[in-house]
Amino acid sequence: MWRSRVVLAALASLSLALGVVGTAGAVGGEEAGQAAGSPGAASGRKAGLPPVVSHVPTDEKVVFITIDDGWVHDPAVAQTLVDRRIPASLFLLPGATSYDTQYFTGLLEQGRVSVENHTVNHPDLTTLDAAGKDAEVCGAGERLAAAFGREPKLLRPPYGAVNDDVRLAAKACGVKALITWTYDFTTWSETPATPQLKSGDIVLLHFTPTLGADLRRALDAAKASGLKPAALMPHLKSAGLVP
């Protein structure tokens, strides 16, 4: 099965090299704070490749909360998501969920979050060959589907690193869109400045020890702009970015 996906990706890569499909620009790393490209753009809707989305075009007063990795399982964060009925897309690493799957199934049972793909080992996918991309993206999708009963349809490429080969590999694994971000609210070495959010912005957070405070900052910023958190996939469909 994986060999057929790799062969298809390799053939498609050859067509790219021959100029059949253009190249999408790479997106900056997660620690950079904001994805490259204009906030309104979903890059590369061409040749049937899944788009790279850093911002969702919408007239609704909504913002999208996304949380990556999954290593720190803070009960207070889960309680906040449940009590405040916050829709969130969780881009999870299978290894980060496997030692406490119930933390995430408990959130899924509330019906307000979705589990999405963030690869197996968090590599820069642009540096891998076709087999490596397949193992990381399809492998994570299969493991998350086994754990949570649904195969992810969205991929967050680690570090936001994307090119057309990555998009081709993602398509072969059933991915409908690659989601980067508009702003990173994660506290890394220091707390980042709080931007003014706009409708359709995608907020990046991480399951780190500071997630509770980072989530509060993001929700406060959304409220200050008159925005409410919303589920990502329905708005991607409404915007025509995914079928």
Side-chain angles (χ1 to χ4, degrees):
M1 179 66 176
W2 72 268
R3 287 188 177 89
S4 64
R5 292 192 300 245
V6 171
V7 169
L8 288 172
L11 290 174
S13 296
L14 177 61
S15 71
L16 287 177
L18 295 175
V20 176
V21 180
T23 301
V27 181
E30 290 183 3
E31 291 78 5
Q34 182 172 351
S38 61
S43 72
R45 276 183 285 174
K46 54 193 172 185
L49 296 179
V52 181
V53 183
S54 63
H55 174 99
V56 181
T58 179
D59 293 328
E60 295 185 44
K61 302 288 286 182
V62 295
V63 68
F64 305 103
I65 302 296
T66 67
I67 314 177
D68 279 14
D69 299 346
W71 292 111
V72 177
H73 303 170
D74 185 347
V77 169
Q79 199 63 49
T80 297
L81 293 172
V82 171
D83 289 348
R84 298 184 62 172
R85 300 175 61 81
I86 299 167
S89 299
L90 312 182
F91 290 88
L92 301 178
L93 303 169
T97 69
S98 59
Y99 70 92
D100 184 14
T101 304
Q102 182 57 44
Y103 181 86
F104 299 100
T105 56
L107 288 170
L108 284 169
E109 287 166 2
Q110 302 297 321
R112 305 294 292 181
V113 305
S114 66
V115 168
E116 306 297 349
N117 193 327
H118 197 33
T119 72
V120 175
N121 296 301
H122 205 281
D124 178 341
L125 291 170
T126 66
T127 68
L128 304 182
D129 62 14
K133 291 180 178 68
D134 180 272
E136 287 291 336
V137 179
C138 291
E142 291 163 0
R143 288 174 62 178
L144 292 170
F148 300 109
R150 171 190 168 273
E151 188 170 0
K153 298 301 179 184
L154 304 178
L155 169 69
R156 171 155 287 149
Y159 314 107
V162 178
N163 59 22
D164 278 351
D165 287 335
V166 173
R167 295 164 67 205
L168 285 162
K171 180 180 179 181
C173 296
V175 170
K176 301 301 182 185
L178 292 84
I179 307 300
T180 56
W181 59 91
T182 318
Y183 297 106
D184 186 350
F185 273 71
T186 307
T187 299
W188 295 113
S189 58
E190 59 184 27
T191 302
T194 300
Q196 182 177 356
L197 296 176
K198 298 179 178 63
S199 296
D201 281 351
I202 298 174
V203 169
L204 171 61
L205 299 163
H206 292 77
F207 282 99
T208 64
T210 65
L211 177 55
D214 296 338
L215 178 59
R216 286 192 294 273
R217 284 193 300 108
L219 295 175
D220 288 346
K223 184 177 180 180
S225 296
L227 305 173
K228 293 184 177 181
L232 180 56
M233 180 60 90
H235 284 81
L236 293 173
K237 291 181 177 180
S238 295
L241 298 174
V242 301

